Amino acid sequence: MTLAADVAVLDELEQVVGAARLLTSKADREYFAMDVYGAGETPIAVALPETVAEVQSIVRVAARRKIAIVTRGGAASYTASHLPSTRNSLIIDTSRLNRILEINERDMYVTVEAGVTWNALREALSKKKLRTPFWGPFSGFASTVGGGASQNAASLGSGAYGISADSILGFEVVLANGEVLRTGSHAIENGKPFYRWYGPDLTGLFCGDSGALGIKVTITLRLIPEPEVFGAASFGFETFEAMAAGLAAVARSNVASDNFGLDPKLQQGQMGEVTVKDAIASAIRVARASRNPLEAAARLASMAAAGKRFLSGWAYSTHFTVEGVSKAEIRSKLAVVRRAVKGYGRETANTIPTVIRAAPFVPLNVMIGPRGERWAPQHGVMPFSAVSEFHSRITRLYAANAERMKRERVTNGAMFMTLGTHAFLYEPVFYWEDELTAYHRRYLSAEFIGQLPKYPENLNGRRLVAELREQIREIFSAVGSIHFQIGKCYPYMKGRQGEAAQALRAIKQQLDPNNLMNPGALGL
């Protein structure tokens, strides 16, 4: 666009949201076009709408001017989902769309605007002794419900209830022409958003779309009673194979609400930073909510006694949480977990899952390494039968590049999780010594960054990480993995069955004929 055209667009947008909610400085535009791992093209402007009507007006301005639209949520992702692929773009930041519109205790659903964080939703529902089945990723202080819907988030509740999409009943979506589309039972005459399935699943169509099909402005999720009691168990393992088998065995038993596994790097790094102080503080939070002060006191004492020993001596660890309505149910479920793991690993102190249950959303300081390194995860979801082959291949990749990684100061780790009874999530992570970006310096507190080592620019390390990440994507593909947080990172359309690819392109063409909704996302 020409400078005059840019000015005309900004004038129109300013009439919609006002000057204070239209960011045009170079620093703002560059920052909002960055994520944990990389940066996109610098957009024309960043708009911060406060109402659905404002979103519609912004989209209509962009449609008339043929300007691409990219939606930004909590910006805690690493797959370029909200990074513009063209300078002729406008970012819509959803942080001001932060209202909880309805908590319907009778019909058991909640409707929120897209910019509501998972933490804000949890706090509001907890006051009413309610919860969503899937209740957020670990980054829930910043991650939004709209972002989780667009990215297909996994973490809290995923063991029993699946991913974010499995808890969603319906959407209101602003399409590329500025009109609002409703899904689920809310789309019928006199309908409320109480149910998802009525004929073809339009709600599912927009789950995990990375904003390529429209802008989610409201999300409705189903509710369950907040579990009254929980229990936790942790186990240590000598090998990856034993750890993976233990995770899979517990998954098949269908009793754990939350679960994850850690490799040696993660145990001693980000997750291993759980200290005695953390454990006691979390136990106190649990005790305050406990119906049995003596039991809570015993838990606090045992956690304090365990100290930092809870992971010592084990190469890998797994951590499980179970939920229920009575202590008897919890004891029964924990017994099932222990039987499933028996023969693979040994039980250790349950400090980590207890801490996480008390404080489930971690500070976003974990977007860099424990010693201030750059951090870049990726992940794949695969059947249990593919886990061993994937692990063998990625282990050989690391071995083949060990000297280069050491020379360029690159290290690796991994985290693991099962989803429901039938899927294994493997998340390789890279750390490398490198200077932090403007994104890190603005997103994280200056006080926190000031306590960490400073590293010079490490272009060779960045190139090596990018190269290894590409090779890992190929290994994921070779074993039939799928991905969440697709964005512009994972090859969604590559190798896709012909009829399926044709149907997806036809849907994109129908909903967004000028390819203005996050062009490049999903590989469309």
Side-chain angles (χ1 to χ4, degrees):
M1 298 182 72
T2 65
L3 179 61
D6 280 355
V7 171
V9 169
L10 295 178
D11 286 344
E12 282 194 76
L13 293 172
E14 189 172 315
Q15 291 177 31
V16 175
V17 297
R21 290 188 286 119
L22 186 67
L23 308 181
T24 58
S25 73
K26 186 173 185 289
D28 282 337
R29 291 182 293 122
E30 289 180 345
Y31 167 72
F32 278 82
M34 305 178 80
D35 68 5
V36 172
Y37 181 60
E41 297 286 350
T42 303
I44 296 168
V46 180
L48 289 79
E50 291 184 341
T51 66
V52 173
E54 287 183 351
V55 175
Q56 291 180 272
S57 296
I58 293 167
V59 170
R60 286 171 179 143
V61 169
R64 285 198 305 272
R65 301 276 186 171
K66 299 293 189 293
I67 298 171
I69 298 171
V70 182
T71 309
R72 184 182 189 268
S77 183
Y78 54 87
T79 58
S81 188
H82 70 269
L83 307 190
S85 58
T86 171
R87 290 183 180 274
N88 188 36
S89 297
L90 174 68
I91 290 179
I92 294 181
D93 180 272
T94 60
S95 59
R96 303 292 187 94
L97 294 167
N98 57 9
R99 286 170 286 271
I100 297 175
L101 301 175
E102 180 184 11
I103 300 176
N104 192 317
E105 298 177 72
R106 184 176 185 182
D107 294 329
M108 292 295 279
Y109 66 78
V110 58
T111 301
V112 303
E113 291 182 326
V116 170
T117 65
W118 289 99
N119 182 60
L121 177 59
R122 171 178 175 260
E123 289 181 343
L125 292 176
S126 185
K127 293 175 183 177
K128 298 179 180 292
K129 305 294 184 184
L130 295 170
R131 202 190 77 191
T132 55
F134 170 85
W135 48 294
F138 292 133
S139 56
F141 280 129
S143 295
T144 63
V145 179
S150 291
Q151 299 278 57
N152 280 343
S155 286
L156 299 165
S158 289
Y161 299 105
I163 63 173
S164 55
D166 294 306
S167 294
I168 293 172
L169 299 176
F171 297 119
E172 288 185 307
V173 181
V174 175
L175 301 176
N177 61 3
E179 298 300 315
V180 172
L181 177 149
R182 290 177 177 171
T183 73
S185 58
H186 201 196
I188 66 171
E189 186 177 13
N190 303 316
K192 288 185 174 183
F194 76 102
Y195 210 72
R196 174 166 168 172
W197 292 275
Y198 183 25
D201 183 17
L202 281 181
T203 299
L205 178 65
F206 290 93
C207 288
D209 73 334
S210 298
L213 302 180
I215 301 171
K216 298 166 193 66
V217 286
T218 72
I219 302 96
T220 299
L221 305 97
R222 76 181 184 95
L223 296 175
I224 60 173
E226 187 175 50
E228 296 181 19
V229 193
F230 85 94
S234 295
F235 301 86
F237 303 84
E238 294 182 355
T239 65
F240 170 84
E241 290 74 18
M243 183 276 301
L247 269 177
V250 174
R252 294 188 191 101
S253 72
N254 197 33
V255 295
S257 299
D258 312 317
N259 73 87
F260 59 93
L262 302 172
D263 81 344
K265 177 71 175 181
L266 269 290
Q267 288 181 165
Q268 301 304 318
Q270 290 161 301
M271 298 300 293
E273 291 299 307
V274 176
T275 64
V276 176
K277 180 180 177 182
D278 297 325
I280 293 175
S282 296
I284 290 172
R285 285 193 288 269
V286 173
R288 286 172 177 164
S290 175
R291 292 182 173 85
N292 187 332
L294 292 178
E295 180 185 14
R299 179 181 295 169
L300 189 153
S302 66
M303 290 170 65
K308 286 283 282 186
R309 300 193 308 273
F310 50 83
L311 292 180
S312 62
W314 299 109
Y316 293 85
S317 63
T318 60
H319 310 275
F320 303 96
T321 302
V322 299
E323 300 171 335
V325 297
S326 69
K327 295 176 188 175
E329 182 181 0
I330 296 304
R331 286 195 296 269
S332 177
K333 286 182 174 179
L334 286 176
V336 172
V337 171
R338 291 176 177 122
R339 283 198 301 271
V341 178
K342 186 177 181 180
Y344 300 115
R346 291 181 60 185
E347 190 163 3
T348 184
N350 63 359
T351 306
I352 285 182
T354 303
V355 168
I356 288 177
R357 173 55 58 139
F361 301 128
V362 299
L364 289 181
N365 297 345
V366 297
M367 69 171 57
I368 56 178
R371 289 174 293 280
E373 313 100 310
R374 291 284 303 277
W375 168 78
Q378 59 191 132
H379 74 274
V381 180
M382 61 196 73
F384 297 134
S385 58
V387 173
S388 179
E389 174 64 19
F390 177 82
H391 183 71
S392 295
R393 290 191 181 204
I394 196 172
T395 300
R396 291 196 295 271
L397 176 68
Y398 293 147
N401 288 274
E403 290 187 10
R404 292 180 65 199
M405 292 172 67
K406 183 178 180 180
R407 183 173 65 251
E408 307 303 346
R409 303 182 300 283
V410 176
T411 59
N412 63 280
M415 186 171 177
F416 319 96
M417 184 181 299
T418 59
L419 309 173
T421 61
H422 60 294
F424 190 100
L425 188 152
Y426 194 125
E427 183 174 89
V429 177
F430 285 109
Y431 305 87
W432 72 101
E433 296 178 9
D434 196 355
E435 64 178 357
L436 300 181
T437 69
Y439 171 89
H440 299 107
R441 292 191 293 271
R442 182 161 167 175
Y443 211 114
L444 302 173
S445 72
E447 180 182 5
F448 171 70
I449 291 177
Q451 299 171 359
L452 299 172
K454 304 292 188 298
Y455 301 109
E457 183 179 59
N458 182 3
L459 294 179
N460 288 336
R462 281 182 225 171
R463 293 188 189 102
L464 177 57
V465 169
E467 177 185 326
L468 293 174
R469 280 165 58 87
E470 177 58 33
Q471 292 183 57
I472 290 173
R473 279 192 289 267
E474 293 174 0
I475 299 173
F476 276 131
S477 178
V479 301
S481 300
I482 59 94
H483 305 278
F484 307 140
Q485 300 189 46
I486 298 167
K488 304 176 184 75
C489 174
Y490 296 113
Y492 179 71
M493 296 298 287
K494 180 181 177 182
R496 185 160 292 274
Q497 190 246 2
E499 285 73 13
Q502 184 178 352
L504 286 162
R505 292 191 179 99
I507 291 168
K508 172 72 169 175
Q509 175 64 25
Q510 176 65 32
L511 296 178
D512 182 20
N514 294 313
N515 193 29
L516 297 179
M517 286 292 174
N518 203 6
L522 304 186
L524 291 172

